[in-house]
Amino acid sequence: MMRTLRAVALAALSVVLLAAPAQAAAHPQAAPPAEARISVELSPPGPVVPGESGTLEVRITNNGPSTTTDETLVVVHFPSPGVVQSADPPVTLTYFGTGSSYKIPAGLAPGAASVEKLALRVAPITSPFITIDGDVQAFYPGDPDQSGHTTPYSFTTADTKAHFTVGASSAITGDGRPDPQPGDLTGKPGATVHLPLWVFNTGPSYSRQPIEVRITVPEGTALADPPPYRCTSTSPRTLDCNYPSGPRYKDAIFIDPAVVIDPATTAGQVLPGGTIDVVAAVEDCPSPDWHADYAVTVD
């Protein structure tokens, strides 16, 4: 009798154990509520001059229901060779090949937003009138969408700008000023010497438009043949030079005309009257930097 009761009890228990998984499958447990639902809104810049920066405003909002308890990762894709130059308010930017990222600290309340104004620097080499596309992604561990929230943006580039300086020396400073070197603009009576003349572009863009340059060599000298590339002699002391574009950003066009020093000059004599001028340039406005005076010293 005892064995019969025990067998009945074990059989009933096995039925309960077998039924429990089936009941659990029929009524699965609800997923835990989301801590936050992140959204990404962007305000892209207007047209940006190559070599300058435009502001991309990034707004990351916590749409609830809870305050964030972990960092939110924000990834900004901005095509190389452009760069995310800075952020306001300041954050630590981590750079990678196609953009940069930053983190929003925990504690973003429901309905609150984190707003960053990112300076996107367009590389000086970039062409004008093109569209640049990118996107911003946000990742938060407590968000049910773990693929990240992605919002695209785009803006155009404006026309190029350049600022030209001119000078006479065999070296140039980084801001486009002459850096005189020993032996510059000197020569003996009757000698043929090359004049180290140049046009420098301080930017912000690579020059892509034509420029015209006029050179007058000093008194007591005369131009020697052949004239420099893209230059034409318009008098014994004058050259007009035409270039399809100016120099690249932080670069120069070196002209170096050859002149013959009058054999009648004497050692120590200074031959004045040399000038170099930018006479036309679409990307720049006339300024004192377009003109330079120079002289040759007879040694």
Side-chain angles (χ1 to χ4, degrees):
M1 181 67 179
M2 288 294 294
R3 289 183 178 180
T4 303
L5 292 175
R6 184 177 179 184
V8 170
L10 289 173
L13 179 60
S14 65
V15 170
V16 171
L17 292 175
L18 288 170
Q23 291 173 356
H27 302 284
Q29 291 185 347
E35 290 182 9
R37 295 182 182 274
I38 301 299
S39 64
V40 181
E41 297 174 272
L42 306 177
S43 295
V48 180
V49 172
E52 295 184 347
S53 297
T55 300
L56 173 68
E57 184 175 284
V58 179
R59 177 181 293 269
I60 307 298
T61 303
N62 176 6
N63 296 304
S66 304
T67 298
T68 60
T69 58
D70 204 341
E71 294 176 322
T72 301
L73 175 66
V74 182
V75 179
V76 183
H77 291 107
F78 182 47
S80 178
V83 65
V84 183
Q85 196 167 39
S86 62
D88 180 26
V91 293
T92 299
L93 294 169
T94 300
Y95 294 94
F96 55 90
T98 57
S100 65
S101 64
Y102 63 93
K103 293 180 179 179
I104 300 171
L108 191 65
S114 171
V115 180
E116 289 291 342
K117 293 182 178 180
L118 304 178
L120 305 185
R121 184 174 187 268
V122 177
I125 194 174
T126 308
S127 297
F129 312 124
I130 64 169
T131 299
I132 294 178
D133 297 305
D135 62 56
V136 176
Q137 295 177 288
F139 301 89
Y140 176 65
D143 192 315
D145 183 358
Q146 287 298 291
S147 66
H149 297 269
T150 303
T151 301
Y153 69 88
S154 66
F155 63 93
T156 60
T157 57
D159 202 357
T160 52
K161 291 183 181 177
H163 180 63
F164 301 115
T165 66
V166 297
S169 64
S170 58
I172 310 171
T173 65
D175 60 352
R177 305 295 172 187
D179 185 10
Q181 303 294 306
D184 282 354
L185 301 164
T186 61
K188 298 185 180 300
T192 298
V193 297
H194 287 265
L195 306 179
L197 307 180
W198 43 262
V199 180
F200 186 86
N201 177 13
T202 65
S205 307
Y206 275 42
S207 173
R208 297 180 182 275
Q209 301 290 339
I211 68 166
E212 298 176 24
V213 179
R214 180 164 296 145
I215 294 168
T216 302
V217 300
E219 300 170 8
T221 70
L223 287 163
D225 286 329
Y229 180 63
R230 292 194 174 276
C231 296
T232 302
S233 299
T234 54
S235 80
R237 290 181 51 212
T238 307
L239 289 169
D240 282 343
C241 306
N242 295 273
Y243 302 96
S245 65
R248 297 178 298 177
Y249 172 62
K250 294 291 185 180
D251 204 350
I253 294 174
F254 297 94
I255 303 175
D256 298 329
V259 297
V260 179
I261 299 175
D262 189 337
T265 57
T266 58
Q269 188 173 350
V270 176
L271 308 177
T275 61
I276 177 171
D277 295 89
V278 174
V279 295
V282 173
E283 296 155 311
D284 195 10
C285 296
S287 75
D289 291 336
W290 280 24
H291 171 84
D293 297 306
Y294 65 96
V296 167
T297 300
V298 182
D299 60 9

